[in-house]
Amino acid sequence: MHAYGLLMIEHRLIERMLSVIKAELNKIEFRHEIDPVFVDIAVDFIRVYADRTHHGKEEDILMRELKLKPLSAEDQRVMTELVREHALVRQTTTLITNANDRYRDGDQIALIVIANNLKTLIEFFPKHIEKEDKQFYPASRAYFTDAEDQEMLEEFGELDRKMVYEKYKAVVEKLESKQ
Ligand SMILES: [Fe+2]
Ligand SMILES: [Fe+2]
């Protein structure tokens, strides 16, 4: 498997989560309410999986290596654009988390903020994913030898192991703090 094969597998899971969020958004419009626990789960997925785990591989490993290569002006431009888009995901996720806290405290206006920002994510992500799948990943692959590509794939695996440990360490710490 190419290193970007793993990134594409992750894209498919992100797309499935986006479909779930989309269905939940339709319910918000119909019922004018949302389950804050659903929002917690969606935010956790976006933050831990889509951002730290997936964007982590893209920014901290793939792009780190690409920066050492003589990138074409177009590939450089797309890479900068993708990093900006990752930052947008982080900002949007923070807005949703803050609004979810307010919604739990009874602020109905916060529901609009949650809905609008979830909508931003489901509209934005498919375009970002398509740009990577069809343009950025294939273009990136051409800069690497097979050996370099496989080294990145191995490093992706290390990042996954680290993230699973961190994620569940945080779960345990949160539960311990409530005892
Ligand atoms: Fe990305
Ligand atoms: Fe991606």
Side-chain angles (χ1 to χ4, degrees):
M1 179 164 71
H2 293 291
Y4 74 69
L6 184 61
L7 298 174
M8 287 172 99
I9 290 171
E10 293 176 348
H11 280 172
R12 303 292 81 79
L13 193 59
I14 293 168
E15 285 167 345
R16 286 169 63 186
M17 188 60 177
L18 294 172
S19 296
V20 173
I21 293 173
K22 199 174 179 179
E24 202 63 29
L25 264 174
N26 290 338
K27 282 194 227 160
I28 298 183
E29 275 160 21
F30 188 65
R31 295 189 198 144
H32 300 289
E33 62 178 20
I34 195 168
D35 176 4
V37 176
F38 170 81
V39 178
D40 285 340
I41 296 168
V43 161
D44 181 74
F45 179 90
I46 300 292
R47 208 170 251 166
V48 180
Y49 189 74
D51 192 40
R52 294 191 62 206
T53 308
H54 178 74
H55 296 162
K57 290 187 185 82
E58 291 174 342
E59 287 189 24
D60 302 340
I61 301 172
L62 174 61
M63 292 181 189
R64 178 199 68 203
E65 294 303 314
L66 278 172
K67 282 177 192 155
L68 305 172
K69 304 288 180 183
L71 293 191
S72 71
E74 173 64 1
D75 292 337
Q76 180 63 57
R77 185 193 65 76
V78 173
M79 186 161 86
T80 307
E81 200 172 80
L82 293 171
V83 170
R84 257 206 315 268
E85 290 174 3
H86 293 169
L88 174 80
V89 171
R90 280 167 214 137
Q91 286 163 11
T92 308
T93 313
T94 302
L95 291 174
I96 296 170
T97 311
N98 294 342
N100 200 33
D101 287 343
R102 297 200 299 277
Y103 183 67
R104 274 196 166 94
D105 290 340
D107 176 0
Q108 277 297 313
I109 304 289
L111 184 62
I112 300 166
V113 180
I114 296 170
N116 285 343
N117 284 287
L118 286 176
K119 212 173 279 172
T120 299
L121 288 179
I122 59 173
E123 283 168 4
F124 149 81
F125 250 120
K127 287 181 246 162
H128 179 84
I129 286 175
E130 190 179 5
K131 204 186 316 178
E132 291 179 339
D133 281 355
K134 297 202 173 142
Q135 187 182 354
F136 185 64
Y137 293 166
S140 303
R141 180 63 186 87
Y143 291 104
F144 298 112
T145 64
D146 290 348
E148 286 172 330
D149 184 68
Q150 290 308 297
E151 272 170 37
M152 277 195 295
L153 185 59
E154 245 174 65
E155 206 178 340
F156 285 175
E158 280 165 29
L159 188 143
D160 282 336
R161 284 189 284 280
K162 199 179 99 201
M163 285 308 303
V164 169
Y165 178 74
E166 265 185 32
K167 160 81 191 155
Y168 287 100
K169 186 163 90 111
V171 168
V172 172
E173 283 172 353
K174 195 170 179 189
L175 291 173
E176 283 173 343
S177 73
K178 284 181 183 164
Q179 280 183 331

